[in-house]
């Protein structure tokens, strides 16, 4: 489905019924990175997965795209879909966006899963490396980033060719403008540590044991800084843990949902769905038809 939001055509998946569960992909991916989660959770939750602007089937905009800009798009999508408080999961750059949402739109959150991500800003060196990469993409095209990032998404021990192919599919169609915008946006993102102790919803921090992009130690530090957050490290998984070890990831997520959010799911269903109502007819949870 598509919605015109903040001047951009945003593509999204919206499947299932129940408490809204919205997944935000990382860089330079598209919403396909969460396909195993859509399948696993749509029988119990309303699962929403957008392509961030500049990625997948969404439109792109010129210039740097700040994490706040991505957050505004997600907020606008939530308004468009009438979601109300939502369980948000963000992977890596998607986690930076989720923390921007926690800062600006805390009422949007009903639960938070931070996946292979961190709260710190870029060092001066990291920011300038991103700018150099953006210049290279401008000159040579998006494959510069896709070729560099694809091998880092899975654990080095996972060479299953089907999975390697699906990682590349999750980076298509590579769009130089989108990649440059996100690189420049990440380079100037603010430190989000000040947000962490203000998070008041059930939180899961989850990472792959073999993540070489954002090592699990970063996830441990993140979990420690958020009140009552749970930490799960998935053995044998790389940066794109939700695809690399999808069964173990889904199990961890399901256990956390059962622990932290299942009561909310029951209340939500009791409040929103009269027993004789057709599926998807929940008030405050409207689903556009196009
Ligand atoms: C991502 O996976 O979203 C990026 O690697 C995050 C980053 O570059 O900081």
């Amino acid at each position: 489905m598509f919605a015109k939001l903040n001047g951009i055509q945003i593509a999204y998946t919206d499947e299932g019924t129940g408490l809204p569960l919205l997944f935000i992909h990382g860089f330079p991916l598209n919403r396909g990175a969460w396909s195993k989660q859509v399948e696993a959770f749509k029988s119990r939750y309303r699962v929403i997965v957008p392509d961030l602007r500049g990625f997948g089937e969404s439109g792109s905009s010129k210039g740097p795209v700040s994490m706040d800009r991505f957050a505004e798009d997600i907020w606008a999508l939530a308004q468009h879909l009438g979601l109300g408080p939502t369980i948000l999961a963000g992977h890596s750059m998607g986690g930076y966006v989720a923390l921007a949402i926690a800062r600006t739109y805390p009422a949007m959150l009903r639960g938070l899963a931070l996946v292979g991500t961190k709260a710190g800003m870029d060092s001066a060196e990291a920011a300038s490396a991103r700018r150099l990469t953006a210049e290279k993409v401008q000159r040579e095209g998006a494959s510069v980033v896709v070729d560099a990032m694809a091998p880092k998404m899975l654990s080095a021990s996972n060479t299953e060719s089907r999975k390697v192919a699906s990682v590349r599919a999750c980076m298509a169609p590579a769009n130089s403008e989108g990649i440059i915008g996100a690189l420049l946006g990440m380079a100037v993102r603010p430190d989000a540590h000040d947000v962490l102790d203000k998070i008041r919803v059930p939180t899961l921090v989850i990472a792959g044991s073999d993540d070489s992009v954002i090592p699990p130690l970063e996830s441990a530090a993140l979990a420690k800084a958020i009140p009552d957050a749970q930490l799960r490290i998935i053995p044998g998984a790389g940066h794109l843990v939700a695809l690399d070890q999808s069964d173990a990831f889904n199990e961890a997520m399901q256990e956390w949902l059962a622990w932290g959010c299942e009561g909310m799911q029951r209340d939500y269903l009791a409040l929103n769905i009269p027993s004789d109502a057709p599926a998807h007819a929940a008030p405050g949870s409207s689903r556009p038809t196009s």
Side-chain angles (χ1 to χ4, degrees), residues 126-149:
S128 96
R130 286 205 208 269
R131 290 190 190 99
L132 287 176
T133 306
E135 285 167 19
K136 200 161 178 214
V137 172
Q138 186 74 61
R139 286 193 310 272
E140 297 172 29
S143 60
V144 166
V145 161
V146 171
D147 292 343
M149 290 296 286

Side-chain angles (χ1 to χ4, degrees), residues 36-93:
K36 299 282 186 191
Q37 287 63 51
V38 176
E39 286 313 307
F41 294 106
K42 69 181 183 187
S43 61
R44 291 187 61 73
Y45 293 88
R46 179 175 178 183
V47 183
I48 301 106
V49 195
D51 280 333
L52 293 173
R53 70 166 62 205
F55 295 91
E57 296 181 289
S58 288
S60 58
S61 49
K62 287 203 186 309
V65 182
S66 65
M67 301 304 106
D68 283 341
R69 169 44 92 186
F70 285 132
E72 282 165 16
D73 291 344
I74 300 290
W75 168 254
L77 180 62
Q79 301 307 297
H80 175 71
L81 298 176
L83 296 187
T86 295
I87 302 167
L88 212 61
H91 169 242
S92 202
M93 182 181 79

Side-chain angles (χ1 to χ4, degrees), residues 26-27 91-93 96 130 149 153 186 213-214 239:
F27 172 91
H91 169 242
S92 202
M93 182 181 79
Y96 310 158
R130 286 205 208 269
M149 290 296 286
M153 290 288 163
M186 282 193 283
V213 178
I214 299 186
H239 186 52

Side-chain angles (χ1 to χ4, degrees), residues 11 22 32 65 76 97 100 126 156 166 177 217 253 255 265 273 282:
L22 191 153
V65 182
V97 177
S166 41
E177 191 169 65
L217 272 180
M253 183 108 185
E255 275 175 28
Q265 165 80 324
I273 304 185

